[in-house]
Amino acid sequence: MGFISVSGTGFAAPTAVSAILAPLLWLGLTAAQGPAELEIQVQGLRNMRGAVRLCLTRNPAYFPDCNRDPAAVKRSVNAGQAGSIRLAGMAPGVYALAVIHDENGNGRLDKFMGVPREGFGFSRNPSIRMGPPRFEDVRFELAGGRVRQAVQMKYLL
């Protein structure tokens, strides 16, 4: 009895059953590598003024401000509707998420002497010390299916 290898799987099946197994394995691999959905739960907003701005990047060079990243996913949502935000059709990969509560709606994180005056948060909710966290501290895997990230907003002033 011969064997057939299903490309990319490392799986070898007897040729008698390969006509059945090969398409099923291919479908399973395609589904696992297909588009994903990211659900972002924004928690701890101090008020419902302004907008919540999301910036999602795969490139550490553009974190935490991914506005210049041409491949970044950016969204702005009215703060009153920002409890749960869904991003569908996302490519699988490793991402980092930065969130700001733009209370005055000027499109940026306002600071006073370098200290944020508006709320901010990151995927995986890292401890904040001096300055923003590193990409490695907030990175998460987005695979096929739905992934949830709960972001706890922080306010320093």
Side-chain angles (χ1 to χ4, degrees), residues 11 13 15 18 40-41 53 68 82 85 94-95 98 106 119 129-130 132:
F11 180 80
T15 53
S18 63
I40 303 160
Q41 297 171 338
R53 301 189 189 282
R68 295 186 183 182
I85 302 163
V94 174
Y95 290 87
N106 67 354
R129 293 180 181 83
M130 298 299 286

Side-chain angles (χ1 to χ4, degrees), residues 2 4 21-22 28 35 39 50 54 56 58 74 83 86 89-91 93 99 102 106 109 128 133 156:
I4 183 171
L21 288 180
E39 181 181 347
L54 310 174
L56 187 66
R58 297 171 76 174
K74 302 167 207 148
R86 287 196 173 135
M90 301 287 300
V99 180
D102 183 13
N106 67 354
L109 179 66
I128 302 298
L156 302 178

Side-chain angles (χ1 to χ4, degrees), residues 77-133:
V77 178
N78 182 301
Q81 301 169 340
S84 182
I85 302 163
R86 287 196 173 135
L87 303 176
M90 301 287 300
V94 174
Y95 290 87
L97 172 66
V99 180
I100 67 167
H101 181 191
D102 183 13
E103 292 176 88
N104 61 6
N106 67 354
R108 62 186 174 88
L109 179 66
D110 294 330
K111 298 177 185 175
F112 177 73
M113 298 181 66
V115 178
R117 296 179 64 175
E118 297 175 301
F120 60 91
F122 301 98
S123 44
R124 297 182 51 201
N125 297 305
S127 296
I128 302 298
R129 293 180 181 83
M130 298 299 286

Side-chain angles (χ1 to χ4, degrees), residues 5 38 48 57 69 107 128:
S5 176
L38 176 61
M48 297 299 135
T57 184
D69 181 355
I128 302 298

Side-chain angles (χ1 to χ4, degrees), residues 19-53:
I20 297 169
L21 288 180
L24 292 176
L25 288 171
W26 182 82
L27 285 172
L29 290 174
T30 302
Q33 296 172 354
E37 180 178 304
L38 176 61
E39 181 181 347
I40 303 160
Q41 297 171 338
V42 179
Q43 302 169 344
L45 290 174
R46 72 175 162 195
N47 60 55
M48 297 299 135
R49 292 192 313 250
V52 171
R53 301 189 189 282

